Amino acid sequence: MKVPIVNLYIVLSMAVMCICKATSDLHPLILVPGTGGNQLEARLTRDYKPTSLVCNRWYPVLKQKGGWFRLWFDPSVLFAAFTQCFADRMMLYYEKDLDDYSNAPGVETRVPHFGSTESLLCLDPSLKHITEYMSPLVKSLERIGYVNDKTLFGAPYDFRYGLAAKGHPSKVGSKFLQDLKQLVEKASARNGGKAVIILSHSLGGLFVLQLLNRNSLSWRRKHIKHFIALSAPWGGTVDQMFTFASGNTLGVPLVDPLLVRAEQRSSESNLWLLPNPRVFGQKQLVVTPNANYSAQDIARFLTDIGFSEGVYPYQSRTLPLIMEEVSVPGVPVTCIFGSGVKTPETLFYGEDGFDKQPEVVYGDGDGTVNLASLMALESFWGSVKSQSFKVIMISGVSHTSILENEMALDEITGEIFCTNSRATSTVR
């Protein structure tokens, strides 16, 4: 069909007006990173007891004013002698009397640059290109008009800590939710009261959903324009069982996974990411000569891998949290994730036990999160007509490459652009 030149001019003019409005009258946007995408700094007090001379004298070599140093990510972790120092300082301890987690004795930690995207661009500013994280995403957002500290904000957090079911304290995780809530209100106030778009990656999505469900519907509708979750592990991952059983280098070369296993087991958020029975059911996820384990056997699994101390906090704090009904937030939600990437689905361990790497049978997902977990909200909310919910699945994009893949970035910025356009343009 041939479009008359006059009509074509009108259409193009309206489109340009929509673009201009969308880029000059933006809803503020807050980025919430995933597990390994947060910088973490530490300093040591007199209560710190080094486990070796190396930890006492040589690690870290460089410190900031006040004795602060980079804990995550620190490239010196690649050296075996320093890996153990790193693991000791990253450890969390569950105190049953307090029913909560805390740092190792003598270790203080902090998350730099809350409110800004500065610490989300890379994991180590001295190795920007090697440790790049959200930099490509931030650049894409800047191209459609977003400006750091004006319309674009970041909400980093201590990723070792998680949340617990109602009635159980989670001091650090709950403090992050409160800080995030205040950042939402601050970003809105700075932008004329406009509602905020929250864009999360991985574990960040679980925190954001808890933020929404733990605040009133009136607050959500006033302050939240749209929630966009990238690669969110709504139902946990089989890969997390691998982490608990054998340790996980997270792609960092030269690191012995057994040296970081105890530290990874101590993480409160890692318990949160174990497979959810509501999503994985009775499917056998770990197979050994003596026993098989499904998502319903996590407590027995933790005992058999030698981490019986994790059973109580898992059963009392984590399991009730992940088994709670996932309430609809009453604000628009879009899930964007990759698929068609080999993702651990079943782990087979031999007679040598869990200290050896397993044989892995792969299934569909984004390389880290299983497809069933990525799509869990669709299965939970599919029949709820009152909830605005959208899924965008991108074939061949992995859990982390979604933050840099050109096709994925186009989808993400397109969704944000449309959210802004709907708010500011009368074009239908």
Side-chain angles (χ1 to χ4, degrees):
M1 176 179 175
K2 187 175 181 180
V3 180
I5 294 178
V6 174
N7 289 350
L8 181 60
Y9 174 78
I10 294 174
V11 170
L12 291 174
S13 298
M14 293 174 68
V16 170
M17 288 174 61
C18 180
I19 292 173
C20 290
K21 287 182 179 180
T23 56
S24 63
D25 194 23
L26 296 168
H27 281 260
L29 191 152
I30 296 175
L31 299 176
V32 184
T35 301
N38 298 269
Q39 294 182 24
L40 191 61
E41 296 177 347
R43 70 178 174 185
L44 308 177
T45 71
R46 293 178 180 178
D47 295 328
Y48 173 70
K49 299 296 188 292
T51 55
S52 70
L53 183 62
V54 171
C55 297
N56 189 34
R57 295 284 183 88
W58 299 104
Y59 179 78
V61 177
L62 299 175
K63 292 183 180 180
Q64 305 173 39
K65 185 178 180 180
W68 292 98
F69 60 91
R70 185 168 304 283
L71 184 59
W72 179 262
F73 171 72
D74 179 6
S76 63
V77 72
L78 301 177
F79 301 98
F82 294 150
T83 302
Q84 189 60 58
C85 305
F86 160 81
D88 290 343
R89 295 168 186 181
M90 284 283 286
M91 286 279 288
L92 293 186
Y93 290 84
Y94 174 70
E95 300 179 53
K96 195 170 183 178
D97 292 342
L98 299 177
D99 188 25
D100 207 352
Y101 285 81
S102 63
N103 285 342
V107 179
E108 295 180 355
T109 53
R110 68 182 184 185
V111 178
H113 309 299
F114 182 84
S116 169
T117 62
E118 183 176 346
S119 69
L120 307 183
L121 302 178
C122 60
L123 300 182
D124 185 343
S126 64
L127 298 169
K128 291 182 179 180
H129 297 295
I130 298 175
T131 65
E132 191 174 66
Y133 179 55
M134 281 191 170
S135 180
L137 173 61
V138 169
K139 290 176 182 176
S140 293
L141 295 172
E142 289 173 343
R143 280 195 287 270
I144 62 173
Y146 277 96
V147 178
N148 186 43
D149 294 329
K150 292 183 179 180
T151 51
L152 183 61
F153 306 87
Y157 54 94
D158 190 332
F159 57 90
R160 301 169 302 159
Y161 290 90
L163 294 170
K166 294 178 182 177
H168 295 271
S170 287
K171 183 178 179 181
V172 176
S174 297
K175 174 66 164 55
F176 170 65
L177 288 192
Q178 185 60 34
D179 291 343
L180 179 56
K181 180 181 180 181
Q182 292 175 357
L183 181 60
V184 167
E185 294 170 352
K186 177 182 175 181
S188 176
R190 279 191 181 181
N191 288 272
K194 294 187 185 69
V196 172
I197 302 170
I198 302 184
L199 175 63
S200 68
H201 179 235
S202 192
L203 175 65
L206 275 63
F207 275 105
V208 174
L209 187 57
Q210 288 292 322
L211 171 75
L212 299 179
N213 286 338
R214 296 184 184 200
N215 284 282
S216 67
L217 180 60
S218 60
W219 182 89
R220 285 175 256 156
R221 289 183 171 171
K222 177 181 179 181
H223 290 99
I224 305 298
K225 176 66 179 174
H226 203 119
F227 170 31
I228 303 173
L230 311 180
S231 309
W234 304 117
T237 75
V238 175
D239 190 59
Q240 201 63 23
M241 297 184 80
F242 167 72
T243 297
F244 273 87
S246 307
N248 195 331
T249 64
L250 302 175
V252 179
L254 307 178
V255 173
D256 181 351
L258 297 182
L259 289 180
V260 295
R261 182 173 62 181
E263 173 266 314
Q264 291 172 336
R265 288 176 175 179
S266 78
S267 168
E268 181 184 17
S269 61
N270 280 347
L271 283 178
W272 196 8
L273 293 172
L274 284 166
N276 187 326
R278 295 180 62 197
V279 175
F280 288 89
Q282 297 183 357
K283 176 180 172 58
Q284 300 302 301
L285 306 177
V286 176
V287 177
T288 76
N290 301 316
N292 300 332
Y293 307 90
S294 70
Q296 298 179 354
D297 304 314
I298 296 297
R300 179 164 58 89
F301 169 75
L302 294 175
T303 298
D304 290 351
I305 65 173
F307 186 53
S308 58
E309 59 266 39
V311 173
Y312 180 79
Y314 172 77
Q315 290 185 320
S316 64
R317 297 164 54 85
T318 305
L319 186 59
L321 175 68
I322 65 176
M323 292 300 285
E324 288 176 358
E325 182 178 350
V326 185
S327 302
V328 295
V331 296
V333 177
T334 299
C335 293
I336 306 178
F337 53 83
S339 66
V341 182
K342 290 198 318 181
T343 306
E345 189 165 286
T346 310
L347 310 176
F348 290 86
Y349 285 92
E351 296 290 347
D352 293 331
F354 297 107
D355 288 350
K356 299 293 183 181
Q357 299 295 293
E359 179 183 343
V360 180
V361 171
Y362 295 93
D364 200 355
D366 67 4
T368 299
V369 184
N370 307 88
L371 189 61
S373 178
L374 292 164
M375 298 188 68
L377 288 191
E378 186 171 33
S379 63
F380 293 156
W381 299 345
S383 60
V384 183
K385 295 182 179 179
S386 61
Q387 174 60 45
S388 174
F389 182 68
K390 180 179 179 182
V391 169
I392 299 175
M393 188 161 51
I394 310 171
S395 179
V397 172
S398 74
H399 190 72
T400 53
S401 69
I402 197 169
L403 298 173
E404 61 182 9
N405 177 275
E406 187 174 338
M407 184 186 305
L409 292 176
D410 285 345
E411 290 284 2
I412 295 165
T413 53
E415 188 69 7
I416 294 169
F417 176 79
C418 287
T419 298
N420 281 290
S421 296
R422 283 194 295 269
T424 57
S425 174
T426 58
V427 178
R428 293 291 186 268

PDB file of all heavy atoms in Angstrom, residues 38-49:
ATOM      1  N   ASN A  38      28.194  -6.385  42.374  1.00  0.00           N
ATOM      2  CA  ASN A  38      28.323  -5.344  43.383  1.00  0.00           C
ATOM      3  C   ASN A  38      29.767  -5.252  43.868  1.00  0.00           C
ATOM      4  O   ASN A  38      30.376  -6.274  44.207  1.00  0.00           O
ATOM      5  CB  ASN A  38      27.441  -5.666  44.590  1.00  0.00           C
ATOM      6  CG  ASN A  38      25.974  -5.731  44.255  1.00  0.00           C
ATOM      7  OD1 ASN A  38      25.259  -4.745  44.337  1.00  0.00           O
ATOM      8  ND2 ASN A  38      25.502  -6.918  43.880  1.00  0.00           N
ATOM      9  N   GLN A  39      30.308  -4.067  43.910  1.00  0.00           N
ATOM     10  CA  GLN A  39      31.615  -3.891  44.538  1.00  0.00           C
ATOM     11  C   GLN A  39      31.453  -3.964  46.060  1.00  0.00           C
ATOM     12  O   GLN A  39      30.434  -3.528  46.607  1.00  0.00           O
ATOM     13  CB  GLN A  39      32.223  -2.543  44.147  1.00  0.00           C
ATOM     14  CG  GLN A  39      32.571  -2.414  42.676  1.00  0.00           C
ATOM     15  CD  GLN A  39      33.224  -1.078  42.358  1.00  0.00           C
ATOM     16  OE1 GLN A  39      33.807  -0.430  43.217  1.00  0.00           O
ATOM     17  NE2 GLN A  39      33.121  -0.664  41.096  1.00  0.00           N
ATOM     18  N   LEU A  40      32.450  -4.507  46.713  1.00  0.00           N
ATOM     19  CA  LEU A  40      32.407  -4.662  48.167  1.00  0.00           C
ATOM     20  C   LEU A  40      33.764  -4.295  48.740  1.00  0.00           C
ATOM     21  O   LEU A  40      34.798  -4.778  48.257  1.00  0.00           O
ATOM     22  CB  LEU A  40      32.054  -6.104  48.521  1.00  0.00           C
ATOM     23  CG  LEU A  40      31.696  -6.416  49.986  1.00  0.00           C
ATOM     24  CD1 LEU A  40      30.470  -5.620  50.414  1.00  0.00           C
ATOM     25  CD2 LEU A  40      31.442  -7.910  50.155  1.00  0.00           C
ATOM     26  N   GLU A  41      33.759  -3.418  49.742  1.00  0.00           N
ATOM     27  CA  GLU A  41      34.990  -3.009  50.404  1.00  0.00           C
ATOM     28  C   GLU A  41      34.991  -3.480  51.851  1.00  0.00           C
ATOM     29  O   GLU A  41      33.920  -3.678  52.451  1.00  0.00           O
ATOM     30  CB  GLU A  41      35.142  -1.485  50.355  1.00  0.00           C
ATOM     31  CG  GLU A  41      35.283  -0.949  48.935  1.00  0.00           C
ATOM     32  CD  GLU A  41      35.359   0.569  48.875  1.00  0.00           C
ATOM     33  OE1 GLU A  41      35.050   1.222  49.904  1.00  0.00           O
ATOM     34  OE2 GLU A  41      35.719   1.094  47.801  1.00  0.00           O
ATOM     35  N   ALA A  42      36.202  -3.651  52.416  1.00  0.00           N
ATOM     36  CA  ALA A  42      36.320  -4.140  53.790  1.00  0.00           C
ATOM     37  C   ALA A  42      37.465  -3.448  54.501  1.00  0.00           C
ATOM     38  O   ALA A  42      38.358  -2.852  53.875  1.00  0.00           O
ATOM     39  CB  ALA A  42      36.550  -5.655  53.783  1.00  0.00           C
ATOM     40  N   ARG A  43      37.417  -3.514  55.812  1.00  0.00           N
ATOM     41  CA  ARG A  43      38.570  -3.137  56.624  1.00  0.00           C
ATOM     42  C   ARG A  43      38.603  -4.056  57.840  1.00  0.00           C
ATOM     43  O   ARG A  43      37.570  -4.622  58.242  1.00  0.00           O
ATOM     44  CB  ARG A  43      38.525  -1.675  57.033  1.00  0.00           C
ATOM     45  CG  ARG A  43      37.458  -1.301  58.053  1.00  0.00           C
ATOM     46  CD  ARG A  43      37.580   0.173  58.403  1.00  0.00           C
ATOM     47  NE  ARG A  43      36.488   0.604  59.275  1.00  0.00           N
ATOM     48  CZ  ARG A  43      36.305   1.867  59.651  1.00  0.00           C
ATOM     49  NH1 ARG A  43      37.148   2.815  59.222  1.00  0.00           N
ATOM     50  NH2 ARG A  43      35.309   2.200  60.431  1.00  0.00           N
ATOM     51  N   LEU A  44      39.780  -4.192  58.416  1.00  0.00           N
ATOM     52  CA  LEU A  44      39.996  -5.142  59.503  1.00  0.00           C
ATOM     53  C   LEU A  44      40.171  -4.408  60.825  1.00  0.00           C
ATOM     54  O   LEU A  44      40.877  -3.392  60.900  1.00  0.00           O
ATOM     55  CB  LEU A  44      41.231  -5.999  59.204  1.00  0.00           C
ATOM     56  CG  LEU A  44      41.247  -6.667  57.823  1.00  0.00           C
ATOM     57  CD1 LEU A  44      42.559  -7.424  57.619  1.00  0.00           C
ATOM     58  CD2 LEU A  44      40.052  -7.600  57.650  1.00  0.00           C
ATOM     59  N   THR A  45      39.532  -4.931  61.870  1.00  0.00           N
ATOM     60  CA  THR A  45      39.651  -4.341  63.195  1.00  0.00           C
ATOM     61  C   THR A  45      40.566  -5.208  64.059  1.00  0.00           C
ATOM     62  O   THR A  45      41.087  -6.230  63.618  1.00  0.00           O
ATOM     63  CB  THR A  45      38.265  -4.232  63.858  1.00  0.00           C
ATOM     64  OG1 THR A  45      37.798  -5.544  64.212  1.00  0.00           O
ATOM     65  CG2 THR A  45      37.263  -3.574  62.908  1.00  0.00           C
ATOM     66  N   ARG A  46      40.716  -4.816  65.299  1.00  0.00           N
ATOM     67  CA  ARG A  46      41.583  -5.560  66.210  1.00  0.00           C
ATOM     68  C   ARG A  46      41.074  -6.966  66.483  1.00  0.00           C
ATOM     69  O   ARG A  46      41.831  -7.844  66.923  1.00  0.00           O
ATOM     70  CB  ARG A  46      41.702  -4.799  67.538  1.00  0.00           C
ATOM     71  CG  ARG A  46      42.455  -3.474  67.414  1.00  0.00           C
ATOM     72  CD  ARG A  46      42.500  -2.755  68.747  1.00  0.00           C
ATOM     73  NE  ARG A  46      43.219  -1.481  68.654  1.00  0.00           N
ATOM     74  CZ  ARG A  46      43.369  -0.637  69.667  1.00  0.00           C
ATOM     75  NH1 ARG A  46      42.851  -0.936  70.852  1.00  0.00           N
ATOM     76  NH2 ARG A  46      44.029   0.496  69.487  1.00  0.00           N
ATOM     77  N   ASP A  47      39.790  -7.193  66.258  1.00  0.00           N
ATOM     78  CA  ASP A  47      39.215  -8.520  66.509  1.00  0.00           C
ATOM     79  C   ASP A  47      39.526  -9.519  65.403  1.00  0.00           C
ATOM     80  O   ASP A  47      39.227 -10.710  65.539  1.00  0.00           O
ATOM     81  CB  ASP A  47      37.692  -8.415  66.669  1.00  0.00           C
ATOM     82  CG  ASP A  47      37.299  -7.620  67.899  1.00  0.00           C
ATOM     83  OD1 ASP A  47      38.055  -7.681  68.900  1.00  0.00           O
ATOM     84  OD2 ASP A  47      36.257  -6.942  67.866  1.00  0.00           O
ATOM     85  N   TYR A  48      40.111  -9.026  64.316  1.00  0.00           N
ATOM     86  CA  TYR A  48      40.420  -9.926  63.202  1.00  0.00           C
ATOM     87  C   TYR A  48      41.590 -10.838  63.546  1.00  0.00           C
ATOM     88  O   TYR A  48      42.625 -10.385  64.051  1.00  0.00           O
ATOM     89  CB  TYR A  48      40.753  -9.119  61.945  1.00  0.00           C
ATOM     90  CG  TYR A  48      41.244  -9.968  60.789  1.00  0.00           C
ATOM     91  CD1 TYR A  48      40.377 -10.825  60.121  1.00  0.00           C
ATOM     92  CD2 TYR A  48      42.569  -9.902  60.369  1.00  0.00           C
ATOM     93  CE1 TYR A  48      40.817 -11.602  59.063  1.00  0.00           C
ATOM     94  CE2 TYR A  48      43.020 -10.669  59.306  1.00  0.00           C
ATOM     95  CZ  TYR A  48      42.140 -11.520  58.666  1.00  0.00           C
ATOM     96  OH  TYR A  48      42.581 -12.292  57.623  1.00  0.00           O
ATOM     97  N   LYS A  49      41.413 -12.127  63.291  1.00  0.00           N
ATOM     98  CA  LYS A  49      42.445 -13.128  63.539  1.00  0.00           C
ATOM     99  C   LYS A  49      42.868 -13.735  62.206  1.00  0.00           C
ATOM    100  O   LYS A  49      42.133 -14.547  61.638  1.00  0.00           O
ATOM    101  CB  LYS A  49      41.923 -14.232  64.470  1.00  0.00           C
ATOM    102  CG  LYS A  49      41.499 -13.738  65.857  1.00  0.00           C
ATOM    103  CD  LYS A  49      42.680 -13.178  66.645  1.00  0.00           C
ATOM    104  CE  LYS A  49      42.279 -12.864  68.085  1.00  0.00           C
ATOM    105  NZ  LYS A  49      41.336 -11.724  68.161  1.00  0.00           N
TER     106      LYS A  49
END
